[in-house]
Amino acid sequence: MLATRTRFAGVLAGYLADVALGDPARGHPVAAFGRAAGELEHLTYRDSRVAGVVHVGVLVGGVSLLGAALQRAADRGGRPWSIAATAAATWISVGGTSLARTGLAMSELLERGDIEAARRLLPSLCGRDPAWLDGAGLTRASLESVAENTSDAQVAPLLCAAVAGVPGVLAYRGINTLDSMIGYRSARYARFGWAAARLDDAANYVGARATAVLVVMFAPLVSGSPSGAVRAWRRDAARHPSPNAGVVEAAFAGALGVRLGGPTQYRHELQIRPTLGDGHEPTVADLRRAVALSRTVQAGAALLAGLLCYLRRP
């Protein structure tokens, strides 16, 4: 029971640190990991899946071993050190507050009609090419990104921290970061990034569905529809090219009564995404509702993480 309480205290402290402080202002460890991954790519890159497996294996294996070493050292130091280590690893691995702040900043720019500033901000949310997007396109892209990243940036890492502690949450963040760097179907990364993309799909499978369940539960708090979320999830999610993003985006679309999907321009390709939901085209007000729903889901995920801590064996 003591180990259970220690894990839960660390995860909750990490979540609250993100709520209060957001991402570390300087020297973010995830940014350092990204720089190291970029440098390693100069050595490991080949236009093959095998090279990508090696690249991902070295980086994720390395950060997992580091996390395990930190966990063992903290556990030897006693309960306060264990709590602190779990809290720090959780804090640097989640990003829900920054996601919400960016989503709200985007809504303010769009409400003022400052399309150029909104285009400059969009890369902070997703990898789409903002030059192709007008106000409506920026609104949809932002809402879809808030939905997807509610799972990737908050729910999934909180669950990983609850189940697997420091090494688990650091490994998850490493996997997700690599997917954002090389998990594309571009000419350069179609084969080299295959392992990162598939591993990210596996790492987010449970988190995406937990996020959708929480969306259904909390939809009424933003004047949303639980039944609409379930209907869109069941009907539309499987048509999305991502096995996880489709689940979360469809649930958000149904809950908010909006229609997502359609032509989606990335820098390397144009994708025609399936329609998710059957409501109206999202507005700036809907984007704000999506941010509010995201924040509520994040809080629910922290409680769910606590439940998982108590259910796991010490």
Side-chain angles (χ1 to χ4, degrees), residues 260-271:
L260 302 178
T264 303
Q265 180 68 55
Y266 291 93
R267 295 190 185 279
H268 58 279
E269 68 174 346
L270 172 66
Q271 295 183 6

Side-chain angles (χ1 to χ4, degrees), residues 290-302:
V291 171
L293 181 57
S294 174
R295 281 178 160 162
T296 306
V297 167
Q298 292 171 32

Side-chain angles (χ1 to χ4, degrees), residues 106 118-126 128-130 133 138 141-142:
M106 179 65 78
R119 286 171 176 162
R120 289 193 296 271
L121 181 61
L122 188 66
S124 299
L125 284 172
C126 61
R128 302 182 194 184
D129 187 348
L133 300 177
L138 289 163
S142 299

Side-chain angles (χ1 to χ4, degrees), residues 184-200:
Y184 296 105
R185 297 174 184 172
S186 63
R188 177 176 174 84
Y189 292 127
R191 284 177 285 273
F192 183 75
W194 173 85
R198 298 291 77 77
L199 190 57
D200 185 71

